[in-house]
Amino acid sequence: MANAQPEKPTFLQGLKQLPVAMKFTAKRDKLFVPLALAAVIVPIGVGVLLGVLGLGWLWMIAAVMMALLGVMLVLNLRANKAMMAEYEGQPGAAAQVLQTMRGDWRVRAAFASTTSMDMVHVVIGRPGVILIGEGNPQRLKSMLGQEKRRLSKIIGSVDMREYIIGNDEGQLPLKKIRTTFLKLPRTITGKEVNALETRLTALAARTQLPKGAIPKNMRPPKGAFRAMRGR
């Protein structure tokens, strides 16, 4: 099974998607609107004050740019929080987070899955191969072990890590996926990442893996976070 990687939006596409992201965030985060307003009012107010004091109205240009930057920063932070709250506890949530991460991450969502909604996602990146388990921890241990044995035959000496998503001790909380992945040491080159993906595709084709059981009804509105992909 080969999951297509989401295409990175162009600058204009990102601008068009901003209203969707703002609407999604404002609906789920009561602090977003007040913080966004503050991000606009404070720099604009300072710019006007400097103009009145005779220091030149060119400050208004800088104030407007600061206001726009402030709104974008607030949107990014609050939207990520709203997204995590929306995803928390939903089957396939980790895959959704992984597919919006910055950098060259090749995500195979639900590379292995069961009818009980236990699933193992495979991620290939500069740190090597990473297995992400979602579902019942006891059943996932067996699934992760099986996938590790299968993948070890094609990845050679490349580093392989595994995580189980959850909030219990020894598990990886959904909200910490991005920071955890970005801190991992880069041990292979981009060329080796491409080679690993080719081998993984061949393995999936040989074993005729079924499609992953990731429900679509838990996803946010289309385009809501593509504008911020990689934030």
Side-chain angles (χ1 to χ4, degrees):
M1 179 187 83
N3 283 43
Q5 297 296 308
E7 295 182 359
K8 294 183 178 180
T10 64
F11 178 73
L12 290 178
Q13 288 174 332
L15 289 179
K16 292 179 180 178
Q17 292 162 4
L18 282 177
V20 181
M22 289 182 174
K23 182 178 179 181
F24 177 88
T25 306
K27 185 177 179 180
R28 292 161 176 79
D29 185 354
K30 295 180 179 180
L31 290 178
F32 170 66
V33 173
L35 290 174
L37 287 175
V40 172
I41 293 173
V42 172
I44 295 296
V46 173
V48 171
L49 178 61
L50 292 175
V52 171
L53 293 176
L55 297 179
W57 289 100
L58 288 178
W59 282 102
M60 280 301 299
I61 298 177
V64 171
M65 296 301 295
M66 289 297 295
L68 291 175
L69 177 61
V71 170
M72 291 303 298
L73 289 175
V74 171
L75 175 61
N76 180 49
L77 293 173
R78 306 310 296 185
N80 283 334
K81 183 176 180 180
M83 181 176 67
M84 293 303 166
E86 183 79 0
Y87 285 166
E88 191 70 42
Q90 296 281 3
Q96 297 299 314
V97 174
L98 291 167
Q99 290 171 337
T100 59
M101 286 202 314
R102 176 180 60 190
D104 186 16
W105 301 99
R106 317 292 174 86
V107 182
R108 300 300 180 97
F111 191 76
S113 62
T114 68
T115 56
S116 299
M117 302 306 292
D118 300 314
M119 56 190 77
V120 174
H121 315 298
V122 178
V123 183
I124 303 174
R126 294 290 300 279
V129 177
I130 307 169
L131 303 182
I132 299 291
E134 285 191 89
N136 182 282
Q138 297 303 318
R139 294 194 294 263
L140 284 173
K141 290 180 181 179
S142 175
M143 291 179 65
L144 287 168
Q146 180 179 352
E147 295 309 313
K148 285 179 65 176
R149 289 191 293 272
R150 295 175 58 208
L151 292 174
S152 62
K153 299 177 182 178
I154 65 169
I155 69 173
S157 60
V158 174
D159 290 338
M160 182 161 51
R161 299 174 175 84
E162 64 177 89
Y163 299 96
I164 293 179
I165 301 301
N167 296 311
D168 294 334
E169 185 177 356
Q171 298 178 350
L172 177 63
L174 188 68
K175 62 183 179 181
K176 292 186 178 181
I177 289 179
R178 286 181 174 139
T179 55
T180 298
F181 274 44
L182 293 176
K183 289 179 181 179
L184 293 175
R186 273 47 178 166
T187 57
I188 62 176
T189 65
K191 185 176 180 180
E192 290 172 316
V193 170
N194 292 332
L196 281 173
E197 185 177 33
T198 300
R199 296 176 203 165
L200 190 64
T201 300
L203 174 65
R206 287 200 306 269
T207 54
Q208 296 181 340
L209 291 173
K211 294 182 178 180
I214 297 183
K216 298 181 179 180
N217 57 1
M218 51 75 68
R219 299 178 183 177
K222 184 178 181 181
F225 292 100
R226 289 185 63 192
M228 294 169 291
R229 185 170 184 264
R231 295 285 180 177

